[in-house]
Amino acid sequence: MARKLTLRQYVKRRNGVPLGASGSLSNMLKNALGANNFSQFWLYWNPIWGYYLATKIQKPLTHFLPYSLTLILTFSISGLLHDLAVSVIKQEVFFVCTPWFFVMSLAVIASTKLNINVSKFTFVIRAFIHLSTIVICYWLSDFILRLM
């Protein structure tokens, strides 16, 4: 049986430095933007949020759903929570992140299935590819919402 990582262990594994340590943010950005693929980008992006998504949503879902579906649901629930937070702050319904994160989950699945690996490119090009993928996913989700 696999040992469950604590939040502190998880963050140190993802960032290379302890939770709250100096350099944590810069390490997260460097690791995420320089990731070899879009799936790996998300392993490094916001490790505190990622820890809770992985342990409270994705892992429990894997007990009875296929991995791809758990990934889609985890991204969508994350988007829903982001939308809820913005809705509370703005005091009006905000529904942007849920469809956007749903499309990003499809991009993760597609890039994994297609075995897209950008490790041969420089850091700047990898960062551009990852950020462009996020922007394109936003545009696609916005386009779909406008069709509805």
Side-chain angles (χ1 to χ4, degrees), residues 65-79:
L65 294 173
Y67 178 77
S68 291
L69 188 53
T70 66
L71 188 75
I72 291 167
L73 288 171
T74 302
F75 266 78
S76 298
I77 290 168
S78 177

Side-chain angles (χ1 to χ4, degrees), residues 79-94:
L80 187 62
L81 292 170
H82 280 76
D83 282 336
L84 181 62
V86 174
S87 294
V88 167
I89 292 167
K90 290 181 77 171
Q91 297 183 346
E92 63 182 56
V93 175
F94 184 83

